[in-house]
Amino acid sequence: MTSIQDYVAVTGENVIDRLRQLARPLRGMKVVHVNSTYVGGGVAEILSKLVPLQKDLGLDVRWEVIRGEEAFFQVTKSFHNALQGIPVPLWDGVFKVYEETGAQNSEELRSILEEADIVIIHDPQPLPLLRSCPNRKGKWIWRCHIDLSHPYRPVWQYLRNYVMEYDASIFSLADFAQPLPHIQYLMPPSIDPLSDKNMDLTPEEVLAAKLQFGLDPDRLIMLQVSRFDRFKDPVGVIKSYRLVKAFAPSLQLVLAGGEATDDPEGAAVLAEVRKEAGTDKDIHVLLLPPDAHVTINALQRGADLVMQKSLKEGFGLTVTEALWKGKPVIGGDAGGIRLQIVNHHTGFLVKTPEGAALRARYLLRHPDKALEMGRIAKELVRQNFLLTRNLQEYLSILVALVYGDQERIELQLKSAP
Amino acid sequence: MCITANVEPFLVKDCALVTIATGKKAQNLKEMREHLLNIHLGSIYHHFWGGLLRPRFDDPEYNNDFAEWVHHALQDDILAERLSVIDPDPFVNLESLRQELLEVIEQRLDSIETVTWAKPDMQFHFVRSQMVVFDTHDKLEEPEELVQAVPKMSVGSIFYHFIDARRRSPEMMDDFRTWLRACGNDDLCSQVAEVDPYFGSLVELRGQLADLFAKHFFRGVTV
């Protein structure tokens, strides 16, 4: 298990020292995170890292997971889609399933939750727990990891009634914030530099991944890692690739994404991508299992050009991952990508396949510039989007909640331990 | 303690910002004006100074978020330039800075025939911040110690002592000058006053201050 000290090598001693100072007034505080799964998905991935680190800093942290039948998770999956703007059918009894499962879970968790100083509820699945804890003594926060910028109104109106009873919410971007009667904190997501997806790899491991998928390691590689989703514009990436290939005939394209078992459109988009790729043997469409973290890491490190040509994007952690590996990214001018790609410094923001192709040719023609942009890109992530930064923001928010809504919170001076 | 002047030591503090959505957003200049009339003053502070705590890789084209948005989202470079030149430093408080912003925007609204709309995903989101201040347990007894201490300070410490201090001090002065003046070091105090906080990143500001202290205290000394 990683400890906070392990991050010194990545962030420097100062950052870790600040975390310890910030955590000092929170020592012993009972904090409970609640979500709906221990494994799979970004939330579980972040919590599996955050919780041990918060414990390591002296907080009394628990991570609880709610349980439910298949029908419950079908409901919450449809809620998830609806909150991201997809109109979903609301069949009879849908809200009853949601509420009953919430009540069942509260029986098991009530004593823990009511005793906690801070309860952090992740995403919509465990939202109803608050109502079942009338004797709660702590502050309750709803951490929304979803792009809530244009929610499907009937579902949001229903869930908002639960959210309104919380003491605070946390959203990833200002665009996702909603009119709510409580304070709404902003906290972008983060990547873990020590995880399989982001840890350093040897050149041999990178080479092995290329050979595994039949890529020629001596030729140029353009890469996009993303689900097969129209908003990620994989067909646009193929068009860009073709425009670049006219000037760089050795170019190979890799479109790597997870298997789309839970995405009804995924198969259709994948078929469109394969059709667009046609018989071009230099286009590699890879369907990877959900735990192929090291493979993705190796492909990102081995790529000469990294694309994330999304038309819409919540945050785009694949951009963060590539930037962390010192790769300038050519990304769609959308959503959270704009926070990460500082145009001409950490990559290029583009609106069309043509624009993406032009920038790709520029990077190939100016390898020194690409190298320099990559160096800045890594620094950008180090300063803004690493797990340690996320941890600092969590601690700051907890302090802010405890001390109240004053503009400047001066923590009590105590002598150094 | 600054022994020569019997002044309390300089306690080095650090800060972390918590960013808060106000829920207010503007898609055109009129909406911007309407929100500015009542927006939390902390939001005005955040949009003038918060940029210092965001990544910057060169001199920013415009010096505050309002000007930046007017340029990028509304493509009104005349107004962007006028907003950009507003220096928040001389204003006695944030309310007078708000009034200046409104004045410039209203002048522009009077002179244009149609209001330009930003694209839906280019709206201006009013954000504010809360600052959590904590002690680093470092304290400086004599001004000479600034030479060693400043280069090691975090950007949070630089923000707190050099930027945020202006809002805390009745004379709108940074903490370095306040302390140096109390220590009787008026000459150095004047030099610090010449460091413009409005251009460059916090890392650059730290470098400028470190150079200034080093030159002052090591003047004529071969290091």
Side-chain angles (χ1 to χ4, degrees):
Chain A
M1 185 173 291
T2 50
S3 79
I4 195 73
Q5 197 60 31
D6 295 332
Y7 291 83
V8 170
V10 181
T11 64
E13 187 70 58
N14 283 352
V15 170
I16 305 307
D17 200 37
R18 293 180 85 209
L19 287 174
R20 291 204 172 99
Q21 287 162 3
L22 201 50
R24 197 166 289 141
L26 302 172
R27 276 184 190 162
M29 180 179 276
K30 287 182 183 165
V31 178
V32 184
H33 292 272
V34 187
N35 78 321
S36 59
T37 175
Y38 281 120
V39 285
V43 178
E45 196 175 319
I46 287 175
L47 285 177
S48 69
K49 303 291 179 183
L50 262 183
V51 169
L53 296 182
Q54 288 179 338
K55 278 185 188 171
D56 204 12
L57 286 167
L59 282 71
D60 180 0
V61 189
R62 298 178 70 118
W63 175 11
E64 301 291 342
V65 169
I66 58 163
R67 295 176 196 163
E69 302 294 324
E70 197 186 335
F72 170 72
F73 288 108
Q74 280 176 354
V75 168
T76 56
K77 174 69 185 170
S78 72
F79 282 3
H80 183 102
N81 288 339
L83 292 180
Q84 302 220 88
I86 300 170
V88 295
L90 295 172
W91 63 93
D92 283 348
V94 64
F95 298 132
K96 191 163 173 250
V97 170
Y98 182 65
E99 287 159 16
E100 281 178 355
T101 306
Q104 285 159 13
N105 277 282
S106 67
E107 292 303 317
E108 283 185 38
L109 296 174
R110 184 176 295 119
S111 62
I112 295 166
L113 298 177
E114 287 189 338
E115 278 305 303
D117 298 300
I118 301 278
V119 176
I120 304 172
I121 298 291
H122 295 263
D123 283 343
Q125 297 92 335
L127 262 178
L129 287 174
L130 178 140
R131 281 193 188 166
S132 308
C133 296
N135 299 318
R136 60 188 178 276
K137 68 168 199 177
K139 303 273 188 187
W140 284 56
I141 307 171
W142 184 48
R143 173 47 168 133
C144 176
H145 298 267
I146 297 171
D147 176 350
L148 201 62
S149 53
H150 304 288
Y152 177 54
R153 305 306 302 182
V155 170
W156 172 235
Q157 280 165 12
Y158 170 72
L159 292 174
R160 188 177 56 193
N161 290 326
Y162 288 104
V163 176
M164 284 166 66
E165 294 173 32
Y166 281 67
D167 297 292
S169 300
I170 304 175
F171 294 98
S172 296
L173 297 176
D175 308 52
F176 304 164
Q178 291 289 325
L180 288 169
H182 57 232
I183 194 160
Q184 298 179 62
Y185 298 109
L186 301 176
M187 182 167 70
S190 61
I191 60 165
D192 179 4
L194 304 183
S195 69
D196 286 352
K197 211 185 268 182
N198 298 301
M199 64 185 182
D200 286 338
L201 296 178
T202 62
E204 291 75 24
E205 287 170 303
V206 174
L207 176 64
K210 289 181 183 177
L211 296 175
Q212 180 189 346
F213 296 110
L215 293 160
D216 182 344
D218 297 324
R219 290 163 56 198
L220 296 168
I221 296 173
M222 175 189 274
L223 170 73
Q224 174 158 305
V225 177
S226 70
R227 287 181 291 114
F228 292 99
D229 177 330
R230 290 193 184 92
F231 287 138
K232 312 291 181 188
D233 199 17
V235 171
V237 176
I238 294 176
K239 288 178 180 164
S240 298
Y241 151 82
R242 292 208 169 107
L243 290 168
V244 180
K245 198 170 173 73
F247 296 87
S250 72
L251 189 64
Q252 306 166 87
L253 172 65
V254 179
L255 293 168
E259 288 178 303
T261 50
D262 62 343
D263 183 352
E265 283 190 358
V269 178
L270 182 59
E272 287 170 22
V273 168
R274 286 191 165 137
K275 188 177 172 198
E276 182 69 31
T279 56
D280 188 336
K281 289 192 168 48
D282 283 337
I283 299 178
H284 301 257
V285 180
L286 309 182
L287 274 176
L288 301 174
D291 59 350
H293 302 313
V294 177
T295 304
I296 289 171
N297 186 345
L299 289 171
Q300 287 170 326
R301 288 181 188 279
D304 299 282
L305 293 164
V306 177
M307 317 285 278
Q308 188 58 56
K309 222 203 80 47
S310 304
L311 306 171
K312 280 196 170 197
E313 190 64 73
F315 186 75
L317 280 174
T318 53
V319 173
T320 330
E321 290 160 11
L323 296 177
W324 176 243
K325 291 161 185 113
K327 307 288 176 181
V329 176
I330 299 168
D333 187 6
I337 295 179
R338 290 182 187 142
L339 281 185
Q340 305 182 67
I341 296 184
V342 183
N343 219 356
H344 298 268
H345 293 283
T346 63
F348 295 103
L349 290 170
V350 298
K351 296 180 191 305
T352 60
E354 291 80 4
L358 187 73
R359 298 310 188 189
R361 284 172 54 197
Y362 175 88
L363 289 175
L364 292 178
R365 177 76 179 77
H366 298 93
D368 290 349
K369 182 72 180 165
L371 211 59
E372 173 61 9
M373 288 169 82
R375 187 190 64 74
I376 296 170
K378 182 159 190 166
E379 202 47 38
L380 173 99
V381 176
R382 192 194 307 279
Q383 287 178 26
N384 296 281
F385 303 119
L386 289 188
L387 188 64
T388 41
R389 171 73 181 220
N390 212 189
L391 189 51
Q392 180 189 302
E393 285 170 335
Y394 258 115
L395 295 173
S396 303
I397 287 173
L398 297 191
V399 167
L401 266 179
V402 170
Y403 280 75
D405 188 19
Q406 44 192 306
E407 264 190 271
R408 192 182 292 105
I409 298 163
E410 302 254 1
L411 296 182
Q412 288 290 318
L413 295 183
K414 289 179 186 167
S415 56
Chain B
M1 147 173 337
C2 181
I3 294 161
T4 46
N6 202 22
V7 174
E8 288 298 311
F10 185 102
L11 300 176
V12 180
K13 294 189 182 181
D14 201 341
C15 70
L17 286 193
V18 179
T19 315
I20 298 165
T22 66
K24 304 275 195 303
K25 51 192 177 183
Q27 203 171 350
N28 62 42
L29 204 52
K30 277 192 172 170
E31 289 180 1
M32 168 70 81
R33 178 191 167 279
E34 292 306 310
H35 287 312
L36 275 173
L37 285 169
N38 302 306
I39 199 72
H40 193 292
L41 285 171
S43 181
I44 293 178
Y45 179 77
H46 182 92
H47 290 298
F48 266 94
W49 292 113
L52 278 175
L53 288 162
R54 291 198 295 271
R56 266 186 193 177
F57 301 102
D58 58 2
D59 295 331
E61 210 170 351
Y62 296 97
N63 281 328
N64 59 63
D65 293 345
F66 301 109
E68 194 82 29
W69 179 72
V70 166
H71 166 69
H72 285 294
L74 303 183
Q75 277 114 39
D76 182 347
D77 286 351
I78 292 173
L79 180 60
E81 287 177 9
R82 288 175 184 160
L83 288 171
S84 189
V85 86
I86 298 174
D87 184 346
D89 226 16
F91 289 90
V92 291
N93 55 39
L94 287 169
E95 186 54 49
S96 52
L97 180 57
R98 182 212 301 271
Q99 293 309 320
E100 177 66 13
L101 269 174
L102 283 167
E103 180 66 25
V104 172
I105 288 173
E106 282 172 0
Q107 272 182 21
R108 185 62 180 154
L109 279 169
D110 286 344
S111 68
I112 53 177
E113 288 178 3
T114 53
V115 175
T116 310
W117 287 73
K119 288 193 292 183
D121 67 343
M122 295 284 279
Q123 296 183 72
F124 187 93
H125 294 271
F126 286 89
V127 164
R128 66 183 179 93
S129 45
Q130 259 181 304
M131 180 183 287
V132 180
V133 183
F134 49 94
D135 189 20
T136 67
H137 301 291
D138 289 338
K139 62 180 177 184
L140 313 180
E141 304 280 356
E142 294 290 342
E144 286 85 343
E145 293 173 40
L146 286 165
V147 177
Q148 298 291 330
V150 168
K152 292 179 192 160
M153 285 183 187
S154 72
V155 289
S157 292
I158 298 293
F159 187 84
Y160 180 77
H161 290 299
F162 197 62
I163 306 293
D164 185 66
R166 292 158 203 258
R167 209 158 53 126
R168 285 182 270 116
S169 141
E171 298 89 20
M172 298 188 299
M173 202 183 275
D174 63 82
D175 287 339
F176 297 114
R177 277 187 286 161
T178 303
W179 189 60
L180 288 168
R181 180 165 290 174
C183 290
N185 212 324
D186 288 345
D187 177 29
L188 182 54
C189 195
S190 306
Q191 292 175 52
V192 174
E194 287 180 21
V195 176
D196 190 335
Y198 207 40
F199 294 92
S201 65
L202 289 169
V203 173
E204 286 167 342
L205 281 174
R206 178 174 60 194
Q208 274 180 278
L209 290 167
D211 285 351
L212 195 153
F213 294 137
K215 277 181 191 152
H216 180 86
F217 288 110
F218 292 146
R219 199 165 34 200
V221 177
T222 308
V223 182

